[in-house]
Short mmCIF file of all heavy atoms in Angstrom, two decimals:
data_model
loop_
_atom_site.label_atom_id
_atom_site.label_comp_id
_atom_site.label_asym_id
_atom_site.label_seq_id
_atom_site.Cartn_x
_atom_site.Cartn_y
_atom_site.Cartn_z
N ARG A 1384 82.86 17.55 -8.19
CA ARG A 1384 83.05 17.83 -9.54
C ARG A 1384 84.44 18.46 -9.77
O ARG A 1384 84.83 19.37 -9.08
CB ARG A 1384 82.00 18.79 -10.03
CG ARG A 1384 81.88 18.92 -11.57
CD ARG A 1384 80.68 19.88 -11.91
NE ARG A 1384 80.70 20.16 -13.30
CZ ARG A 1384 79.97 19.42 -14.11
NH1 ARG A 1384 79.35 18.39 -13.74
NH2 ARG A 1384 79.91 19.69 -15.44
N VAL A 1385 85.08 18.00 -10.78
CA VAL A 1385 86.43 18.50 -11.13
C VAL A 1385 86.48 18.93 -12.57
O VAL A 1385 86.09 18.22 -13.49
CB VAL A 1385 87.57 17.49 -10.84
CG1 VAL A 1385 88.95 18.01 -11.19
CG2 VAL A 1385 87.53 17.02 -9.37
N GLU A 1386 86.82 20.17 -12.82
CA GLU A 1386 86.98 20.65 -14.24
C GLU A 1386 88.44 20.50 -14.54
O GLU A 1386 89.31 21.04 -13.81
CB GLU A 1386 86.53 22.08 -14.35
CG GLU A 1386 85.10 22.32 -14.08
CD GLU A 1386 84.19 21.82 -15.20
OE1 GLU A 1386 84.79 21.60 -16.38
OE2 GLU A 1386 82.99 21.49 -15.01
N VAL A 1387 88.73 19.86 -15.75
CA VAL A 1387 90.10 19.61 -16.03
C VAL A 1387 90.43 20.16 -17.44
O VAL A 1387 89.53 19.92 -18.38
CB VAL A 1387 90.40 18.06 -16.14
CG1 VAL A 1387 91.84 17.84 -16.51
CG2 VAL A 1387 90.13 17.37 -14.76
N GLU A 1388 91.43 20.93 -17.61
CA GLU A 1388 91.77 21.45 -18.92
C GLU A 1388 93.02 20.75 -19.31
O GLU A 1388 94.07 20.79 -18.71
CB GLU A 1388 92.09 22.92 -18.82
CG GLU A 1388 92.42 23.55 -20.23
CD GLU A 1388 92.65 24.95 -20.18
OE1 GLU A 1388 93.59 25.39 -19.51
OE2 GLU A 1388 91.82 25.72 -20.86
N ALA A 1389 92.83 19.98 -20.42
CA ALA A 1389 93.98 19.20 -20.96
C ALA A 1389 94.57 19.97 -22.07
O ALA A 1389 93.96 20.27 -23.05
CB ALA A 1389 93.52 17.80 -21.42
N VAL A 1390 95.91 20.20 -21.98
CA VAL A 1390 96.67 20.90 -22.98
C VAL A 1390 97.68 20.04 -23.57
O VAL A 1390 98.62 19.63 -22.93
CB VAL A 1390 97.28 22.23 -22.36
CG1 VAL A 1390 98.00 23.00 -23.49
CG2 VAL A 1390 96.19 23.15 -21.70
N GLN A 1405 93.99 22.35 -27.46
CA GLN A 1405 93.56 22.20 -26.11
C GLN A 1405 92.06 21.90 -26.07
O GLN A 1405 91.34 22.20 -26.96
CB GLN A 1405 93.84 23.37 -25.22
CG GLN A 1405 93.15 24.65 -25.68
CD GLN A 1405 93.56 25.84 -24.83
OE1 GLN A 1405 94.59 25.84 -24.25
NE2 GLN A 1405 92.59 26.85 -24.81
N SER A 1406 91.67 21.20 -24.96
CA SER A 1406 90.25 20.89 -24.72
C SER A 1406 89.89 20.93 -23.26
O SER A 1406 90.76 20.88 -22.54
CB SER A 1406 89.90 19.50 -25.42
OG SER A 1406 90.69 18.47 -24.82
N THR A 1407 88.68 20.90 -23.05
CA THR A 1407 88.13 20.90 -21.61
C THR A 1407 87.25 19.73 -21.46
O THR A 1407 86.37 19.35 -22.25
CB THR A 1407 87.37 22.18 -21.29
OG1 THR A 1407 88.24 23.28 -21.49
CG2 THR A 1407 86.94 22.13 -19.81
N CYS A 1408 87.47 18.94 -20.32
CA CYS A 1408 86.59 17.84 -20.02
C CYS A 1408 86.15 17.92 -18.63
O CYS A 1408 86.73 18.65 -17.82
CB CYS A 1408 87.39 16.49 -20.19
SG CYS A 1408 88.76 16.26 -19.20
N THR A 1409 85.15 17.17 -18.31
CA THR A 1409 84.61 17.13 -16.88
C THR A 1409 84.72 15.78 -16.33
O THR A 1409 84.44 14.81 -17.02
CB THR A 1409 83.09 17.51 -16.95
OG1 THR A 1409 82.95 18.84 -17.40
CG2 THR A 1409 82.50 17.54 -15.54
N VAL A 1410 85.21 15.73 -15.16
CA VAL A 1410 85.37 14.42 -14.44
C VAL A 1410 84.47 14.28 -13.29
O VAL A 1410 84.47 15.13 -12.36
CB VAL A 1410 86.91 14.19 -13.99
CG1 VAL A 1410 87.01 12.94 -13.18
CG2 VAL A 1410 87.88 14.32 -15.12
N ASN A 1411 83.63 13.40 -13.26
CA ASN A 1411 82.71 13.20 -12.09
C ASN A 1411 83.25 12.07 -11.27
O ASN A 1411 83.63 11.02 -11.72
CB ASN A 1411 81.29 12.69 -12.62
CG ASN A 1411 80.51 13.84 -13.23
OD1 ASN A 1411 80.31 14.83 -12.47
ND2 ASN A 1411 79.95 13.73 -14.37
N ILE A 1412 83.41 12.34 -10.04
CA ILE A 1412 83.98 11.37 -9.04
C ILE A 1412 82.88 10.42 -8.58
O ILE A 1412 81.90 10.80 -7.93
CB ILE A 1412 84.65 12.07 -7.82
CG1 ILE A 1412 85.52 13.16 -8.32
CG2 ILE A 1412 85.29 11.10 -6.95
CD1 ILE A 1412 86.66 12.68 -9.10
#
Side-chain angles (χ1 to χ4, degrees):
R1384 187 179 179 88
V1385 181
E1386 295 289 338
V1387 180
E1388 183 178 64
V1390 181
Q1405 61 182 25
S1406 60
T1407 301
C1408 62
T1409 298
V1410 178
N1411 284 307
I1412 308 302

